[in-house]
């Protein structure tokens, strides 16, 4: 409901209120909540989290001359072994630095996502949005508790997309490559560079993890174990412990009687549909922020549908990016009711009768993943019908003939909104009318 009063940003209602600068006490509340989330884990978990401990044990095994891939739960590339060496050498730092680092990385990813959509870091939306993620989305705390290295991808993807929106594709490729060197979670995003035909940036994104992995493998006692042990484990997904937490349909459907072949086929079809929807969204054009975010989100969700394993905290790679676009003036997927229906099972304290026990916990995560993926896929596939063709993102450089035509004023393309520009609509005749004047030309 409009209050009838316009704020400083020229926007009525709740949106304008959220765009205002947050008060000092709001930042204080956010700091207390984030600090409590980190310090609680630091007090309870001595090694920084169960998943972090797996990587540290791999680094310790390497320091002892053993193969880090002897542990079948170590599912990372060789570069992660060297990255975990400081924790293995100084084990006392993990207790505090890991949970604090995870919280800091997730918060940084959120603020980068805001900048993609042109939202100020100091706004009320920035503070309340991060508070909502901490207090209202259970996987946030799960990720802090586990100390999972997924946090590297949750930070790298917003940073990379922010670079893309600013036309720095090669830098974005380097950021993605560094994240993949630690954990290959962002590999599906490489298709974004293919869609945009940014081959140099794609080459950098591929070369960085390849070089890091090769150099790291040279100092490992058994680097081929990644292909003989880890990769088959990922493809089969036969570990009983891991299966309790897997959220992909390929892992959940067999638990309710669906044949494994049928479940895998359905997951594969869903993943292919997600890639096709992402391609449709790229062709639809539009403002750069919404375009790259929705394409990247669709690609990642498509991978989560078919990947083994697939956990609830993987959603933190895409969810902040989508939520940060909810304040924009244009259409946003977060305004679709089913988007919020998908997140309901992840609200802390929500009880889903019959699936609350540990062996059934994955069903809630599968519901969230599948419904959220369906909503994002539909949104991407229907983007062309909503807004029509528009070129809001810098594309390949025009040819010499096209450049000459543009210089002569022929065939000018429609101009897309500038990335990060304020949403300002000038209504000069109406403003002059209110002041008693008349517009002039000249």
């Amino acid at each position: 409901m409009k209050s009838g009063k316009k704020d400083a940003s020229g926007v009525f209602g709740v949106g304008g209120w959220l765009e205002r600068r947050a008060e000092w006490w709001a930042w204080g509340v956010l700091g207390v909540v984030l600090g409590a989330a980190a310090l609680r884990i630091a007090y309870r978990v001595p090694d920084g989290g169960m998943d972090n401990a797996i990587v540290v044990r791999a680094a310790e095994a390497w320091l002892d001359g053993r193969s880090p891939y002897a542990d079948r739960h170590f599912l990372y590339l060789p570069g992660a072994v060297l990255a975990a060496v400081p924790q293995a050498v100084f084990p006392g730092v993990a207790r505090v630095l890991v949970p604090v680092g995870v919280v800091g990385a997730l918060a940084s990813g959120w603020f980068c996502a805001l900048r993609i959509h042109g939202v100020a870091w100091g706004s009320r939306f920035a503070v309340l949005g991060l508070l909502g993620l901490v207090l209202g989305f259970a996987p946030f705390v799960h990720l802090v508790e586990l100390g999972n290295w997924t946090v590297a991808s949750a930070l790298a993807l917003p940073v990379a997309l922010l670079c893309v929106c600013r036309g720095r594709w090669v830098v974005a490729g380097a950021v993605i490559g560094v994240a993949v060197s630690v954990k290959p979670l962002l590999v599906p995003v490489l298709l974004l560079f293919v869609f945009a035909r940014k081959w140099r940036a794609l080459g950098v994104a591929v070369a960085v993890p390849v070089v890091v992995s090769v150099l790291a493998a040279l100092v490992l006692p058994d680097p081929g174990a990644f292909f003989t042990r880890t990769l088959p484990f990922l493809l089969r997904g036969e570990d009983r412990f891991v299966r309790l937490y897997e959220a992909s349909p390929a892992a959940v459907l067999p638990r309710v009687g669906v044949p494994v072949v049928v479940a895998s086929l359905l997951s594969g079809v869903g993943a292919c549909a997600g890639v096709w929807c992402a391609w449709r969204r790229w062709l639809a054009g539009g403002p750069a922020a919404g375009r790259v975010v929705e394409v990247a989100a669709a690609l990642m969700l498509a991978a989560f549908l078919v990947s083994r394993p697939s956990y609830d905290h993987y959603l933190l790679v895409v969810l902040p990016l989508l939520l940060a676009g909810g304040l924009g003036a244009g259409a946003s997927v977060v305004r679709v009711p089913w988007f919020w229906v998908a997140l309901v099972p992840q609200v802390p304290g929500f009880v889903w009768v019959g699936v609350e026990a540990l062996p059934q916990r994955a069903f809630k995560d599968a519901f969230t993943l599948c419904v959220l993926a369906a909503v994002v896929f539909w949104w991407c596939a229907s983007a062309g019908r909503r807004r029509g063709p528009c070129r809001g993102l810098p594309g390949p450089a025009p040819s010499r003939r096209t450049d000459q035509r543009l210089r002569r004023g022929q065939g000018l393309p429609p101009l897309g909104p500038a990335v990060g520009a304020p949403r300002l609509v000038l209504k000069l005749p109406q403003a002059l009318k209110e002041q008693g004047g008349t517009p002039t030309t000249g």
Side-chain angles (χ1 to χ4, degrees), residues 161-338:
L161 296 185
L162 182 60
C163 293
V164 166
C165 290
R166 295 178 176 179
R168 303 176 67 179
W169 286 88
V170 175
V171 178
V175 172
I176 296 295
V178 171
V180 172
S181 301
V182 177
K183 185 172 184 177
L185 191 64
L186 296 184
V187 170
V189 181
L190 297 180
L191 286 176
L192 175 63
F193 299 96
V194 177
F195 293 168
R197 299 181 181 180
K198 297 295 182 179
W199 309 119
R200 183 180 178 185
L202 177 63
V204 172
V206 173
V208 170
V210 169
V211 171
V212 171
S213 297
V214 170
L215 294 178
L218 293 177
V219 298
L220 295 182
D222 185 16
F226 176 82
F227 300 98
T228 60
R229 298 178 184 175
T230 303
L231 195 58
F233 173 83
L234 290 172
L235 296 177
R236 292 194 305 264
E238 294 179 352
D239 186 84
R240 293 182 179 180
F241 176 77
V242 172
R243 193 181 300 120
L244 296 176
Y245 301 93
E246 286 190 273
S248 65
V252 172
L253 291 179
R255 297 173 59 183
V256 295
V258 178
V260 176
V261 176
V262 176
S264 300
L265 180 61
L266 291 176
S267 298
V269 171
C272 292
V275 174
W276 178 80
C277 292
W279 172 240
R280 287 286 304 271
R281 178 63 187 92
W282 179 260
L283 294 179
R291 188 183 187 188
V292 298
V293 164
E294 291 166 9
V295 170
L299 292 174
M300 292 304 303
L301 289 171
F304 297 160
L305 288 177
V306 74
S307 65
R308 303 290 301 272
S310 182
Y311 302 124
D312 61 343
H313 54 261
Y314 284 6
L315 296 176
L316 284 167
V317 177
V318 298
L319 186 60
L321 289 166
L322 297 174
L323 291 176
L327 198 61
S332 174
V333 67
V334 302
R335 300 175 188 178
V336 178
W338 281 100

Side-chain angles (χ1 to χ4, degrees), residues 17-263:
W17 183 84
L18 290 173
E19 287 182 341
R20 295 179 183 177
R21 180 175 295 275
E23 293 79 4
W24 65 268
W25 55 264
W27 285 105
V29 172
L30 178 62
V32 169
V33 171
L34 293 177
L39 294 179
R40 183 175 68 91
I41 306 304
Y43 177 77
R44 293 173 50 189
V45 183
D47 52 10
M50 179 179 65
D51 290 354
N52 180 72
I54 294 174
V55 188
V56 175
R57 285 199 304 267
E60 293 174 346
W62 173 69
L63 292 175
D64 293 338
R66 296 178 284 111
S67 173
Y69 292 104
D71 184 355
R72 60 180 180 178
H73 291 139
F74 179 68
L75 308 177
Y76 302 85
L77 292 176
V81 178
L82 302 184
V85 168
Q87 291 190 56
V89 176
F90 304 102
V93 303
R95 182 173 194 134
V96 177
L97 291 186
V98 170
V100 171
V102 171
V103 170
L106 291 175
S108 301
W110 166 250
F111 289 120
C112 288
L114 292 174
R115 294 310 304 149
I116 292 175
H117 298 279
V119 180
W121 287 344
S123 64
R124 290 169 175 167
F125 181 72
V127 175
L128 296 179
L130 187 53
L131 275 175
L133 281 172
V134 180
L135 300 177
F137 191 60
F140 189 102
V141 177
H142 293 170
L143 184 56
V144 180
E145 291 178 344
L146 295 171
N148 192 282
W149 287 38
T150 298
V151 67
S153 301
L155 173 60
L157 185 56
V159 172
L161 296 185
L162 182 60
C163 293
V164 166
C165 290
R166 295 178 176 179
R168 303 176 67 179
W169 286 88
V170 175
V171 178
V175 172
I176 296 295
V178 171
V180 172
S181 301
V182 177
K183 185 172 184 177
L185 191 64
L186 296 184
V187 170
V189 181
L190 297 180
L191 286 176
L192 175 63
F193 299 96
V194 177
F195 293 168
R197 299 181 181 180
K198 297 295 182 179
W199 309 119
R200 183 180 178 185
L202 177 63
V204 172
V206 173
V208 170
V210 169
V211 171
V212 171
S213 297
V214 170
L215 294 178
L218 293 177
V219 298
L220 295 182
D222 185 16
F226 176 82
F227 300 98
T228 60
R229 298 178 184 175
T230 303
L231 195 58
F233 173 83
L234 290 172
L235 296 177
R236 292 194 305 264
E238 294 179 352
D239 186 84
R240 293 182 179 180
F241 176 77
V242 172
R243 193 181 300 120
L244 296 176
Y245 301 93
E246 286 190 273
S248 65
V252 172
L253 291 179
R255 297 173 59 183
V256 295
V258 178
V260 176
V261 176
V262 176

